[in-house]
Amino acid sequence: MNASPIVYSLTPDEIPRGSSKITPDAGTCGLKEFPGPTLANCTVPISAGLPDHRGNWSNKETGHWEFIEQCGDRYIVTAPGRNGLYCIHDFVHADGSYKNGVKDYNAALFPRCFPIRATGNFEGNCMKMKVLSFSGATRCLLEDDSLEFYNIMIGTQILTRTDEHEY
């Protein structure tokens, strides 16, 4: 008799929060390698009414790329930061609260550990990340299936979905 493989199915709340630090007590920030998908074992569908931002996104002209994951109302952006180090910005629930928002580090300052706390919520086809009352980053799915990405530090650019792994 052959044993069936065990398949693990997790909800968004059962998966630990992603972080740009290897360990909580690490003295530097930024991951040396792309960490891979955080939500790979999450089987909960994207919450009703939310846009599907999942996938690899890039802008060939600027070289910017990022990997977005979604499960329920959880939203994770993994991308390269400064000095070849990677960040994970994990919104455990995109409900506009600091409790469930990003608790990570500013990737533009890696390997320095400059903490950021941000809320995240969906408005139409957009995911909005706010620090206090300022828009830190916005990602909006456009009609042509491209993603308009705004970041307060680098401006606005259009990203296209790609099957290629840019990491």
Side-chain angles (χ1 to χ4, degrees):
M1 179 183 223
N2 293 333
S4 297
I6 297 173
V7 177
Y8 293 98
S9 173
L10 300 173
T11 68
D13 292 326
E14 294 172 317
I15 298 170
R17 181 188 290 269
S19 174
S20 298
K21 266 189 161 184
I22 295 171
T23 62
D25 60 345
T28 59
C29 287
L31 305 172
K32 292 180 181 179
E33 296 180 359
F34 179 77
T38 300
L39 300 177
N41 292 326
C42 191
T43 57
V44 174
I46 295 172
S47 296
L50 298 184
D52 186 352
H53 289 188
R54 293 175 296 178
N56 289 296
W57 296 91
S58 68
N59 180 309
K60 301 290 184 191
E61 293 175 19
T62 65
H64 177 82
W65 69 267
E66 52 190 48
F67 177 65
I68 299 176
E69 299 174 87
Q70 290 175 259
C71 184
D73 70 341
R74 190 162 176 181
Y75 191 93
I76 298 177
V77 178
T78 304
R82 188 167 169 229
N83 293 315
L85 300 170
Y86 295 88
C87 71
I88 300 175
H89 289 168
D90 189 349
F91 299 88
V92 177
H93 292 285
D95 61 5
S97 74
Y98 281 102
K99 174 186 174 194
N100 293 317
V102 166
K103 296 176 184 175
D104 205 59
Y105 303 91
N106 187 328
L109 301 176
F110 286 167
R112 184 172 162 222
C113 294
F114 186 83
I116 59 169
R117 302 291 181 263
T119 65
N121 68 294
F122 286 96
E123 292 181 20
N125 283 336
C126 300
M127 169 58 164
K128 298 191 173 197
M129 174 181 163
K130 292 184 180 176
V131 179
L132 300 172
S133 61
F134 300 100
S135 178
T138 302
R139 290 167 178 85
C140 297
L141 190 62
L142 303 176
E143 288 183 19
D144 66 356
D145 200 40
S146 61
L147 195 71
E148 182 179 78
F149 170 58
Y150 164 79
N151 179 292
I152 194 168
M153 297 179 80
I154 61 175
T156 301
Q157 53 187 296
I158 301 299
L159 308 178
T160 56
R161 204 182 305 248
T162 176
D163 292 332
E164 300 172 25
H165 292 261
E166 301 292 326
Y167 37 89

